[in-house]
Amino acid sequence: MLGVLANRTYRHLFLAQVVSLVGTGLATVALGLLAFDLAGDRAGAVLGTALAIKMIAYVGVAPVAAAFSERLPRRTMLVALDLVRAVVALALPFVTEVWQVYLLIFLLQSASAGFTPTFQATIPDVLPDERDYTSALSLSRLAYDLESLISPMLAAALLTVISFHSLFAGTVLGFLLSAALVLTVRLPSPSPRSRAASGTARPAASGSISRRRGCAVCWR
């Protein structure tokens, strides 16, 4: 599975995905503490609403982003989404009202919902071999799963030496590093053939991954 990392383009894209995931994980922990700081006893309700907004953004934006990823330059799109997330994360420590948290979380998660399908749509063009493609998706899925474990532990370790507001700085740095990694590679533009085939189902790999030409869906 790790053999696909020998491909420089995919390696840089995968590292971009990993650092952006860590940044998102740190932001989630910091968001919980920010909700408590703003709302006190109502922190649970505020955090629950924010997480609901997060899921709504993913469900609503991801299909639209997948369609745009077949028509727009993918490197430009990935970098733009990273920069949007960095700006939003930079603004989060300065919010003073709960509604501002909701708005920024929607923007942040909408950008994240756009990043994931665009990243996945790029994989079959970078790794056209079916076996490499399957390995890349498995590695991507592993990164998602490990982030759920590593980010909270990393956040807990950082909180012993810094304030929770500083976690947002780590989030910003993660998104900026992700954008920088994407800029170091050249990504193929979606070809007319891949666009036409984007709605054509292809066989699932090992019965666990559903693949479509130009887009693979891995649920987080």
Side-chain angles (χ1 to χ4, degrees):
M1 183 171 66
L2 296 179
V4 294
L5 294 177
N7 183 297
R8 178 181 179 274
T9 299
Y10 176 73
R11 183 172 65 250
H12 284 219
L13 289 176
F14 177 71
L15 289 175
Q17 179 198 22
V18 169
V19 295
S20 67
L21 283 174
V22 172
T24 302
L26 293 178
T28 300
V29 174
L31 176 64
L33 298 173
L34 177 63
F36 180 79
D37 189 49
L38 289 176
D41 293 340
R42 295 177 50 248
V46 172
L47 183 59
T49 302
L51 294 178
I53 291 173
K54 171 182 176 179
M55 297 310 300
I56 291 171
Y58 267 106
V59 172
V61 175
V64 178
F68 276 106
S69 70
E70 294 295 331
R71 293 165 175 79
L72 300 177
R74 289 171 181 163
R75 188 173 76 159
T76 301
M77 191 171 176
L78 289 172
V79 171
L81 291 171
D82 270 331
L83 293 179
V84 168
R85 294 192 290 180
V87 170
V88 172
L90 187 63
L92 275 170
F94 303 102
V95 301
T96 57
E97 301 291 339
V98 170
W99 68 266
Q100 296 170 351
V101 174
Y102 295 156
L103 175 61
L104 292 176
I105 286 300
F106 181 79
L107 293 175
L108 178 65
Q109 299 306 326
S110 294
S112 295
F115 185 93
T116 300
T118 304
F119 166 79
Q120 291 171 343
T122 304
I123 297 177
D125 292 327
V126 174
L127 299 170
D129 181 77
E130 186 79 23
R131 184 173 299 178
D132 289 342
Y133 176 86
T134 303
S135 296
L137 285 187
S138 299
L139 202 58
S140 177
R141 180 69 259 176
L142 180 63
Y144 275 114
D145 293 339
L146 289 179
E147 180 274 326
S148 300
L149 298 174
I150 294 174
S151 290
M153 293 189 293
L154 177 60
L158 290 174
L159 286 171
T160 62
V161 294
I162 62 176
S163 70
F164 77 87
H165 287 91
S166 299
L167 290 182
F168 290 116
T171 300
V172 173
L173 290 176
F175 292 144
L176 292 178
L177 180 56
S178 175
L181 284 167
V182 174
L183 284 172
T184 62
V185 298
R186 284 191 172 187
L187 300 180
S189 299
S191 64
R193 180 180 177 182
S194 68
R195 292 175 187 171
S198 62
T200 304
R202 296 185 61 168
S206 303
S208 61
I209 300 173
S210 175
R211 178 178 181 178
R212 295 170 65 182
R213 176 61 181 167
C215 181
V217 179
C218 291
W219 293 103
R220 185 174 182 182

